[in-house]
Amino acid sequence: MGAKVVAYMMVVALLAMTGCFKLAYATDPTQLQDFCVGTNDPNDGVFVNGLFCMDPKLATPDDFFFSSLNKPGNTNKKVGSNVTLVSATNLHGLNTLGISMARIDFAPYGENPPHTHPRATEILTVIKGQLLVGFVTSNLPNGSNRLFSKLLNEGDVFVFPQGLVHFQMNVGKTNAIAIAALSSQNPGVVTIANAVFGSNPPISVDVLSKAFQLDKATIKYHQSKF
């Protein structure tokens, strides 16, 4: 191998070691230790990339344990669904590990309305019932958006790519249950209807009227629902 090639490789290695090259991650940054149990008291640890980290010597098995996911959530809501999220906020051992999960309960014909997770891809499996699910792509070159949808039965699995609008709806006459895993300890959620029509302060009626091609009275009616 020529001297110039060796020298070039050494320079590249040094630049990488000193952080001159910025790496992009599709998930949470890789943790810097075996675990980092979250704590609400900054005096008990150091801040890494989530919650403050507890001194590892003080960690216990309970920091990695969560119970009650077997209990159904309250679906007596307008949309007829309930999401029970298990994340670093209620399972502190998840802090910095880049993963979370949720139980989703559906009343008959209830739905988890169109929403996005800005920081996570979601993979969902149906435990009970039958769900109509789908996601919509970002804007295509021709300005349209493509829908990917599927009717899922018990044991079926579906993936919702990070940041894309997606939904799940119970199409059966009985309750349904799904379990979802998400590729972030804090996936975030933006429920589209709530964000557009229920923001505080509200988005201008003029803006929404033009965006949705609806008259202002209709926009105000929708805003009154959120």
Side-chain angles (χ1 to χ4, degrees):
M1 183 178 295
K4 290 185 178 181
V5 175
V6 173
Y8 173 77
M9 294 179 64
M10 291 179 64
V11 170
V12 171
L14 287 171
L15 288 172
M17 292 173 63
T18 56
C20 290
F21 288 157
K22 300 295 185 182
L23 298 180
Y25 293 94
T27 59
D28 291 355
T30 301
Q31 63 269 18
L32 303 177
Q33 59 284 315
D34 287 344
F35 57 82
C36 172
V37 177
T39 177
N40 294 321
D41 186 354
N43 295 320
D44 285 345
V46 301
F47 186 80
V48 181
N49 59 346
L51 302 172
F52 285 90
C53 294
M54 180 188 296
D55 184 336
K57 296 190 294 294
L58 302 178
T60 70
D62 284 340
D63 293 317
F64 303 91
F65 173 78
F66 180 89
S67 64
S68 301
L69 207 60
N70 62 317
K71 297 178 181 178
N74 178 20
T75 59
N76 187 24
K77 303 176 180 180
K78 290 182 179 180
V79 295
S81 70
N82 185 88
V83 178
T84 303
L85 179 65
V86 181
S87 66
T89 58
N90 54 10
L91 179 53
H92 288 172
L94 283 176
N95 192 40
T96 77
L97 299 185
I99 193 170
S100 56
M101 68 180 299
R103 169 178 172 147
I104 312 170
D105 290 279
F106 301 85
Y109 306 111
E111 71 169 8
N112 190 10
H115 62 282
T116 72
H117 299 297
R119 293 179 291 276
T121 290
E122 175 182 347
I123 183 168
L124 175 141
T125 183
V126 178
I127 304 301
K128 176 183 177 183
Q130 190 176 54
L131 298 179
L132 175 66
V133 306
F135 68 85
V136 180
T137 65
S138 54
N139 296 352
L140 299 175
N142 63 3
S144 67
N145 303 83
R146 185 178 176 189
L147 171 66
F148 289 80
S149 185
K150 194 79 174 176
L151 189 62
L152 304 185
N153 296 299
E154 294 178 9
D156 289 344
V157 177
F158 200 80
V159 174
F160 307 98
Q162 179 174 337
L164 298 186
V165 176
H166 60 284
F167 62 87
Q168 301 105 24
M169 182 175 185
N170 181 6
V171 294
K173 298 180 180 179
T174 59
N175 293 339
I177 304 170
I179 295 291
L182 301 112
S183 62
S184 171
Q185 73 175 52
N186 182 21
V189 61
V190 180
T191 305
I192 305 304
N194 299 58
V196 172
F197 294 109
S199 67
N200 184 21
I203 298 174
S204 164
V205 171
D206 292 329
V207 170
L208 296 180
S209 178
K210 193 173 187 67
F212 287 95
Q213 296 295 290
L214 296 171
D215 62 79
K216 294 181 181 180
T218 301
I219 294 297
K220 291 179 180 179
Y221 170 78
H222 286 300
Q223 288 179 324
S224 71
K225 295 295 184 180
F226 292 90

